[in-house]
Amino acid sequence: MFEQIDQFVDRIISLTPEERQLFHSLLKFKRVRKRTYLLQEGEICDFEAYIVKGCIRTYYLSEDGTETILSFAIEDWWVSDLGSFTEQTPSNMFIESLEDCELLIIDHKSKAALYEKIPKFETLFRLLIQRSLFALQKRFHSLISQTAEQRYLAFIEKYPKVVQRVPQNQIARYLGVSPEFLSKVRSTLQKKK
């Protein structure tokens, strides 16, 4: 059950057998069905989840009910609302499973205990936050500087496994275009081939 997360951790920090055992003891295994909300707007996010199996999306709803998809996450990725989790304040986002998922979850209290007992985990989670921030900055830049076609090509190049698992209408929302417009982009690309 812990093999994948151990490989993930080992790429960043090294643990003694005792530290690894303590880390495992702070994680909770959870299975969730497709279309399950792990977090809804207004709730306080009390988890960071490592995805062992499955696909999850995070998104916001505008006042008129329009979805803006912030991210997709698949195996070997983490998902949470970092602001809500860190500050223990109500979230303004939704986290929903797109497939049946298997997760390893650490809650706020357990993460604080992990930092206290194994400080090198602060390095691991700091690097995760830095990578997440960098990805968001790149995404923001692409939204203002690239065409929809360029954004779509970059998305399928960077996330080929996600493209095959996520409905096209959700990819369109992620890219900031209508599903109809994405369909036109895909058709144009097919003709170019």
Side-chain angles (χ1 to χ4, degrees):
M1 173 169 51
F2 297 110
E3 183 178 330
Q4 281 178 263
I5 199 167
D6 285 345
Q7 289 174 3
F8 179 90
V9 169
D10 290 345
R11 289 192 300 261
I12 302 170
I13 59 173
S14 52
L15 299 175
T16 67
E18 295 78 21
E19 290 170 333
R20 193 174 305 280
Q21 185 176 8
L22 173 63
F23 176 52
H24 292 172
S25 74
L26 296 172
L27 298 170
K28 293 183 178 80
F29 180 78
K30 184 174 185 177
R31 281 192 173 95
V32 295
R33 311 274 291 145
K34 180 179 182 176
R35 295 194 179 124
T36 298
Y37 284 99
L38 301 168
L39 179 70
Q40 295 190 58
E41 183 177 30
E43 298 175 346
I44 294 174
C45 184
D46 193 37
F47 70 89
E48 289 187 2
Y50 173 83
I51 303 170
V52 176
K53 179 182 173 207
C55 183
I56 291 175
R57 70 180 178 143
T58 61
Y59 67 96
Y60 299 98
L61 277 182
S62 67
E63 287 190 21
D64 69 359
T66 305
E67 289 181 9
T68 299
I69 297 179
L70 180 62
S71 66
F72 298 105
I74 59 172
E75 292 85 4
D76 204 32
W77 294 12
W78 289 81
V79 67
S80 183
D81 176 342
L82 293 176
S84 176
F85 180 82
T86 303
E87 300 297 322
Q88 290 294 278
T89 56
S91 177
N92 60 353
M93 72 167 49
F94 295 81
I95 300 177
E96 179 188 21
S97 60
L98 296 176
E99 300 173 350
D100 291 347
C101 294
E102 295 178 2
L103 309 170
L104 289 169
I105 293 174
I106 189 161
D107 62 34
H108 193 265
K109 183 179 175 185
S110 296
K111 190 174 179 190
L114 182 65
Y115 283 172
E116 183 181 319
K117 294 177 181 172
I118 312 173
K120 58 186 138 183
F121 268 98
E122 289 191 45
T123 299
L124 181 138
F125 283 102
R126 177 183 49 79
L127 289 172
L128 288 178
I129 290 169
Q130 287 174 336
R131 289 176 186 168
S132 179
L133 177 59
F134 178 66
L136 285 173
Q137 286 175 330
K138 282 182 70 171
R139 178 152 180 253
F140 178 74
H141 184 261
S142 76
L143 283 171
I144 61 172
S145 67
Q146 294 180 330
T147 66
E149 184 176 311
Q150 290 170 325
R151 291 194 308 270
Y152 179 67
L153 289 171
F155 180 79
I156 61 176
E157 182 180 324
K158 187 167 183 175
Y159 305 112
K161 293 179 183 175
V162 174
V163 171
Q164 299 167 10
R165 296 166 69 174
V166 174
Q168 291 300 307
N169 66 336
Q170 291 189 15
I171 292 173
R173 284 190 219 114
Y174 175 84
L175 296 173
V177 299
S178 70
E180 296 79 18
F181 189 78
L182 180 59
S183 184
K184 288 178 188 175
V185 167
R186 294 177 70 221
S187 177
T188 301
L189 291 171
Q190 287 297 329
K191 288 176 186 173
K192 287 181 180 179
K193 289 182 181 180

